[in-house]
Amino acid sequence: MKLTIQNISKNYGKKRALNGVSFEMENGVYGLLGPNGAGKSTLIRILAGVTKASGGEVLVNGKNKKSCDREFRATLGYLPQSLDFYPEFSGLDYLRFVAALKGIKNDEVEPKIKKLAEQVRLTHDLHRKCVNYSGGMKRRLGIAQALLNDPEILILDEPTAGLDPHERIKFRNLVSIFSRDRTVLLSTHIVSDIDCIAKETVMIKDGRVGRMESTQSFVDAIGGKVWLMKMTVDELVEYQNDHIISNVIPTGDKMEVRVVSDAKPAADAVVAMPTLEDAYLYEFNAMAGDVV
Amino acid sequence: MKLFKYEMKKLVWHKNRIILLAVMFVIFTLLGLWTSSGTFELRGSDGYSEYINLVQQYSGTLDSEQLQESNEIAEQAKAKQRQGDNDSFILYLNQNPVVKFHYDYANFGKRVYEYWNGPEYQDESDIKGVYPLQDKLKTLENRQDSYEYKYYQKRLETELSQGEPIFTYTQFWNNFASAFDISRVVFLLLMTLAFVIAPVFTQEIKTDMNSIVLCSFKGRSEIVTAKLLSVCSTAVILTALYFSGYFIGAFIATGNIVGFNAPARCFATFEGTAMDTTVVGMAILGVLWTMLAAVVFGLLICLISAYAKNQTSVFGLSVVFILTFSMMGFSPDYIHATIWPLIDFNFVTLSLFGIIFSGSTMYNFFGMPLSYGMSAFVVCIVLSLVVVFLTYLVQKRRQVV
């Protein structure tokens, strides 16, 4: 399935949350990266059809989404940023309810719930009231509901919030396997969530899409721009005001500082291997017009 | 059907709500019992069996000789109790069953008189009594095509088909009739219903489930159908609990349901009804009508819930509606004359079977007299359709911001 986002904009009163966002998605995992308030969730809600755009259009296989809204919803899986549950429902009730909402055939419901519960490790907790679940369990239940209808398009907004490292890795693997012949849009500000699995990454800030490239291209683009250098704490305090620092490690009486910079920041600075996190910092400082 | 099942689970079919409904059922039963406590006193008084004998002996059409005797005894009783208030007089009657019989029979005689001759103070804009109606029709003979003529002709036909009132024992039904009182219906039934139904849409916002519902295959229309059906079912269940509780309470106090097959006009508060049925028929119609009205009211709450953001505001707004419409019923005539559609056909008045079906009020429907009951039924259906349509529209256009 091909999803084309064309010049989408969204205004909340005088505030412009999205400003002419355009990109295309086909099969594979797409990462949506951006700082808080960048417009990621607004864009995701527009794609999921729960918020109307002020302008622009979304095309599904070349057809305007509005003209095939019901069919589109049948192929969609969505996990919103915040999700709570009905206090009187068990996990099983909840998944059955969502299955009914998604119009899944009766004979397919139970096997699917069983399989997904195993995948998100909730098999033994399905009969418990879901309001009593931990934050991580609630998130996993949310992921399970999004996958219930074998969606062709899966939209996940901050899916790993509240998951422990082990659960995050399990989730990444699940999404990776799932995305073989489907489209997954994963919005996050945890760079490592998409570092390994995203086919392409969309950087978004202040309602605009900066660049959309393969994750490796972002990393490759800052080759030779990531540096390691040592300085004292006092020097660091001064230095960080006008430089991008992606990491600091104490080493003896000095600090080893990881700097993202076009030019060599100091005579003793040595080039380091860039990561997507470095690229993210570089990209957003460039988009904001800050000194790099 | 599956969605309906889950909507019912969200709205009613869970522990907290079941406990609430059980408590309400007990309250309804106790209220039925408390309302009928006078009968309880009557049954325990000396002379109760004589009272029953007298009622059975004089059941039927008016006995003039008996009426004369009863009038005398009733006047003496009233003179004796002149210093006391109404409650103490009722207590006195319950403690003196034979006097109560004569008092009831004297009232019955008055009703028979009014049936033929109309009330002592006749309202010229709404003539009552067979003879005054016949006289009025004579004066309108040269205007037989007018609405006024058709109206009074229909009224006269109704009166003649109903026939002269008869005297019979319907104590249980008279107690049960108080279940249709405005205070009980409004404060016990409608308020409880508003509280139970208020979260039908707002819970989706509270739980952040709105996004998942709205983006799902059945989240824009089928879910609304399920929610509307669950609201209707809840309204029917609560109304059934209300009347069954009240029935049980009244039955415990009265001990019988004698008089169920008497004409509807033997049913307290329905002495002037135009309905040609029995007491039990009237009671069943009353329960069904209240269910219908509760469904219409529930649908309104559902619509408010679809617009609102939280349960408290839905309930608050419902209470404002209930109180405003209830108070409208006490408006002076000049206000009623101006906004009568709002007063006669608002959501609260529509739920009051005792008001709609107790008299012979009619409305001019394109020159034809249409009974209050029929008009109210049409309004109920139209309001329901409008509210249902708007609810679908709200969900179709709903957005998560």
Side-chain angles (χ1 to χ4, degrees):
Chain A
M1 185 174 275
K2 187 176 174 183
L3 206 62
T4 312
I5 291 103
Q6 273 185 353
N7 206 23
I8 290 286
S9 61
K10 177 70 185 175
N11 304 327
Y12 292 110
K14 284 182 182 170
K15 189 184 182 306
R16 176 152 276 205
L18 288 177
N19 189 3
V21 171
S22 301
F23 61 92
E24 274 186 6
M25 294 192 294
E26 268 193 288
N27 292 348
V29 179
Y30 290 78
L32 189 59
L33 267 181
N36 288 332
K40 299 190 301 287
S41 292
T42 303
L43 178 61
I44 285 236
R45 284 201 289 257
I46 289 170
L47 293 180
V50 298
T51 298
K52 279 185 188 143
S54 306
E57 59 182 356
V58 177
L59 304 176
V60 182
N61 292 331
K63 244 170 97 179
N64 192 318
K65 186 166 85 70
K66 282 178 192 163
S67 65
C68 56
D69 187 48
R70 200 172 153 86
E71 292 81 6
F72 176 72
R73 279 187 275 130
T75 61
L76 180 71
Y78 173 46
L79 173 67
Q81 191 175 16
S82 60
L83 179 63
D84 208 340
F85 302 94
Y86 306 116
E88 56 279 359
F89 275 30
S90 66
L92 186 60
D93 288 332
Y94 177 75
L95 289 176
R96 283 175 177 165
F97 170 66
V98 176
L101 264 178
K102 293 186 175 205
I104 299 171
K105 286 178 190 165
N106 282 351
D107 54 338
E108 293 175 10
V109 173
E110 296 307 319
K112 273 189 178 171
I113 289 177
K114 196 179 167 201
K115 188 179 157 198
L116 279 168
E118 277 169 19
Q119 284 177 328
V120 298
R121 295 192 299 120
L122 282 175
T123 307
H124 302 296
D125 298 290
L126 275 184
H127 291 280
R128 280 175 58 201
K129 291 268 166 70
C130 34
V131 283
N132 298 328
Y133 282 9
S134 67
M137 288 165 85
K138 282 181 180 174
R139 213 64 197 147
R140 281 185 274 146
L141 186 62
I143 292 164
Q145 68 76 26
L147 295 170
L148 255 179
N149 56 332
D150 278 334
E152 287 182 49
I153 298 172
L154 180 63
I155 299 175
L156 306 163
D157 198 355
E158 309 282 359
T160 55
L163 298 187
D164 63 34
H166 182 236
E167 287 167 343
R168 276 171 60 190
I169 292 164
K170 289 265 302 180
F171 164 75
R172 279 209 303 255
N173 296 342
L174 182 64
V175 170
S176 214
I177 296 164
F178 179 83
S179 68
R180 275 174 306 173
D181 49 356
R182 290 174 183 125
T183 308
V184 179
L185 179 62
L186 200 158
S187 160
T188 184
H189 45 214
I190 302 170
V191 179
S192 60
D193 279 351
I194 54 173
D195 199 358
C196 327
I197 57 169
K199 175 177 153 187
E200 291 197 55
T201 301
V202 183
M203 299 271 190
I204 184 167
K205 189 180 180 188
D206 294 336
R208 291 171 191 271
V209 167
R211 280 163 60 198
M212 180 181 172
E213 285 180 23
S214 71
T215 306
Q216 194 54 47
S217 300
F218 274 109
V219 176
D220 292 346
I222 59 160
K225 292 176 182 174
V226 182
W227 311 86
L228 289 175
M229 55 192 278
K230 289 190 175 171
M231 61 181 75
T232 62
V233 174
D234 291 341
E235 284 169 337
L236 176 61
V237 169
E238 189 72 21
Y239 191 79
Q240 67 183 1
N241 291 334
D242 48 6
H243 291 85
I244 306 167
I245 294 171
S246 65
N247 202 17
V248 177
I249 302 169
T251 51
D253 56 347
K254 287 203 167 184
M255 314 299 279
E256 188 182 71
V257 182
R258 190 179 174 92
V259 183
V260 184
S261 170
D262 283 331
K264 192 174 181 179
D268 62 341
V270 291
V271 174
M273 286 286 285
T275 64
L276 187 61
E277 211 159 49
D278 297 322
Y280 172 87
L281 286 172
Y282 182 82
E283 192 68 28
F284 283 111
N285 276 275
M287 281 173 76
D290 291 351
V291 179
V292 177
Chain B
M1 198 60 198
K2 265 187 164 183
L3 283 176
F4 167 68
K5 188 181 114 185
Y6 288 110
E7 287 305 321
M8 283 303 282
K9 188 176 171 84
K10 284 192 248 173
L11 211 55
V12 182
W13 212 244
H14 61 267
K15 201 170 95 183
N16 291 351
R17 280 285 185 272
I18 290 170
I19 291 171
L20 174 73
L21 292 181
V23 169
M24 290 313 295
F25 180 73
V26 172
I27 291 172
F28 298 151
T29 307
L30 290 175
L31 192 72
L33 191 64
W34 177 74
T35 307
S36 315
S37 57
T39 311
F40 218 61
E41 286 163 7
L42 183 72
R43 287 171 67 195
S45 305
D46 298 335
Y48 178 68
S49 54
E50 194 180 341
Y51 167 78
I52 293 294
N53 286 339
L54 283 167
V55 170
Q56 283 171 350
Q57 188 180 342
Y58 291 101
S59 284
T61 51
L62 187 71
D63 181 323
S64 304
E65 284 177 25
Q66 182 56 41
L67 178 63
Q68 204 172 352
E69 185 192 342
S70 291
N71 274 337
E72 284 169 17
I73 295 171
E75 284 306 316
Q76 284 168 13
K78 275 194 261 183
K80 240 189 228 177
Q81 292 294 316
R82 198 150 281 160
Q83 279 83 32
D85 59 12
N86 191 44
D87 285 347
S88 62
F89 184 59
I90 290 170
L91 182 66
Y92 167 77
L93 291 177
N94 287 333
Q95 287 166 347
N96 298 276
V98 176
V99 180
K100 179 176 164 55
F101 162 76
H102 292 295
Y103 182 78
D104 291 347
Y105 204 83
N107 278 339
F108 165 65
K110 198 176 163 198
R111 276 177 47 215
V112 173
Y113 175 85
E114 285 180 358
Y115 170 79
W116 293 109
N117 303 293
E120 196 176 346
Y121 300 104
Q122 189 73 265
D123 177 1
E124 288 305 318
S125 64
D126 189 23
I127 306 289
K128 284 180 178 139
V130 171
Y131 299 144
L133 283 170
Q134 286 170 336
D135 292 342
K136 182 73 182 175
L137 282 169
K138 269 182 200 161
T139 64
L140 294 168
E141 254 176 359
N142 53 349
R143 290 169 51 202
Q144 290 193 7
D145 286 338
S146 69
Y147 169 74
E148 201 179 7
Y149 184 86
K150 287 174 190 165
Y151 169 71
Y152 283 116
Q153 191 182 38
K154 195 164 183 183
R155 288 277 310 279
L156 180 63
E157 282 169 11
T158 305
E159 290 302 317
L160 292 173
S161 70
Q162 290 274 353
E164 192 181 281
I166 62 160
F167 186 75
T168 187
Y169 179 81
T170 52
Q171 193 60 51
F172 167 81
W173 300 99
N174 293 348
N175 293 334
F176 183 68
S178 60
F180 299 110
D181 278 0
I182 179 168
S183 55
R184 288 165 174 78
V185 171
V186 166
F187 291 103
L188 285 169
L189 185 59
L190 299 189
M191 291 269 192
T192 311
L193 192 58
F195 179 78
V196 174
I197 288 174
V200 63
F201 274 97
T202 57
Q203 65 186 335
E204 310 299 354
I205 297 170
K206 189 184 168 195
T207 57
D208 286 320
M209 272 297 289
N210 226 0
S211 303
I212 289 172
V213 170
L214 292 175
C215 76
S216 62
F217 183 62
K218 296 185 173 179
R220 293 278 180 180
S221 56
E222 287 90 341
I223 191 75
V224 180
T225 310
K227 282 185 187 291
L228 290 171
L229 283 175
S230 69
V231 163
C232 295
S233 306
T234 305
V236 168
I237 290 169
L238 193 63
T239 313
L241 280 180
Y242 172 70
F243 282 112
S244 50
Y246 215 96
F247 187 96
I248 291 168
F251 182 79
I252 292 169
T254 318
N256 62 63
I257 54 166
V258 173
F260 63 90
N261 54 353
R265 286 191 167 189
C266 296
F267 200 177
T269 75
F270 297 98
E271 289 93 351
T273 186
M275 302 297 291
D276 188 13
T277 180
T278 58
V279 166
V280 71
M282 200 69 185
I284 290 169
L285 184 67
V287 172
L288 293 176
W289 178 267
T290 313
M291 277 179 180
L292 171 71
V295 164
V296 178
F297 180 75
L299 291 174
L300 172 74
I301 306 297
C302 188
L303 178 63
I304 297 172
S305 183
Y307 273 112
K309 290 207 165 23
N310 61 62
Q311 184 182 352
T312 315
S313 59
V314 179
F315 183 62
L317 206 57
S318 310
V319 171
V320 170
F321 269 121
I322 290 172
L323 295 180
T324 308
F325 288 143
S326 300
M327 283 188 286
M328 272 186 180
F330 302 101
S331 304
D333 287 349
Y334 69 93
I335 291 181
H336 185 267
T338 316
I339 53 166
W340 63 266
L342 198 59
I343 294 174
D344 292 357
F345 297 103
N346 66 57
F347 286 95
V348 171
T349 313
L350 287 175
S351 65
L352 301 174
F353 180 72
I355 287 181
I356 295 171
F357 290 91
S358 63
S360 48
T361 308
M362 290 189 199
Y363 293 90
N364 186 345
F365 188 74
F366 299 109
M368 293 297 293
L370 194 65
S371 70
Y372 194 176
M374 186 49 79
S375 310
F377 181 74
V378 172
V379 171
C380 276
I381 300 300
V382 172
L383 280 177
S384 303
L385 292 175
V386 170
V387 166
V388 166
F389 171 74
L390 288 176
T391 311
Y392 276 106
L393 201 65
V394 171
Q395 183 71 357
K396 196 167 180 235
R397 294 180 175 178
R398 186 185 290 276
Q399 291 187 63
V400 176
V401 181

